[in-house]
């Protein structure tokens, strides 16, 4: 069995990654993808085609807000910021992820 692309592993965790990244700083969509790749030492790459629908969904759910600003390279970009609800959702998502990974580890440790 060949290893699956890391994009399969990202599916289902994208919201968590976006919320965590925005808890660190307000940034634009491209910056979110770059930050995730940087923090993960290049292990995680976020497909822009998945990222922007996720940002729209998170904004519709009231977990993030956005506004147009000028980026560091003097271009207009939509900057995203976590809301109070987003901070609470991030805590819940982290707890859920930790339970999931603990269960997964338990299964993988079995002989």
């Amino acid at each position: 069995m060949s290893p699956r692309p890391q994009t399969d592993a990202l599916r289902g965790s994208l919201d968590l990654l976006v919320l965590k990244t925005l808890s660190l700083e307000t940034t634009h969509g491209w910056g979110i993808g770059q930050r995730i790749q940087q923090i993960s030492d290049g292990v995680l790459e976020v497909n822009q085609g998945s990222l922007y629908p996720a940002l729209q969904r998170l904004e519709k759910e009231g977990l993030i807000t956005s506004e147009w600003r000028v980026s560091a390279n003097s271009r207009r970009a939509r900057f995203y910021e976590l809301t109070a609800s987003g901070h609470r959702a991030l805590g819940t998502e982290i707890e859920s992820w930790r339970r999931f990974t603990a269960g997964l580890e338990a299964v993988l440790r079995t002989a």
Side-chain angles (χ1 to χ4, degrees):
M1 183 170 151
S2 63
R4 293 180 181 223
Q6 56 95 2
T7 52
D8 286 351
L10 278 177
R11 200 167 301 147
S13 59
L14 182 57
D15 290 0
L16 173 60
L17 292 170
V18 169
L19 293 174
K20 178 59 182 177
T21 302
L22 291 176
S23 76
L24 304 171
E25 66 181 332
T26 299
T27 190
H28 47 76
W30 187 80
I32 292 168
Q34 290 300 112
R35 182 68 183 218
I36 290 168
Q37 187 174 11
Q38 174 192 26
I39 292 171
S40 70
D41 291 326
V43 173
L44 303 176
E45 291 183 29
V46 177
N47 179 321
Q48 298 295 306
S50 301
L51 177 60
Y52 287 98
L55 288 168
Q56 290 173 348
R57 183 180 61 257
L58 292 169
E59 188 167 19
K60 187 176 181 180
E61 293 173 5
L63 303 179
I64 64 174
T65 59
S66 68
E67 68 177 358
W68 288 99
R69 296 185 196 168
V70 177
S71 67
N73 62 1
S74 301
R75 293 185 179 177
R76 272 180 39 100
R78 187 175 290 273
F79 279 71
Y80 297 90
E81 184 173 6
L82 211 54
T83 64
S85 295
H87 280 283
R88 288 189 297 276
L90 174 60
T92 301
E93 288 292 321
I94 288 172
E95 287 175 24
S96 176
W97 180 256
R98 289 190 173 140
R99 278 192 310 277
F100 172 76
T101 57
L104 187 59
E105 274 298 316
V107 171
L108 295 176
R109 281 193 304 266
T110 59

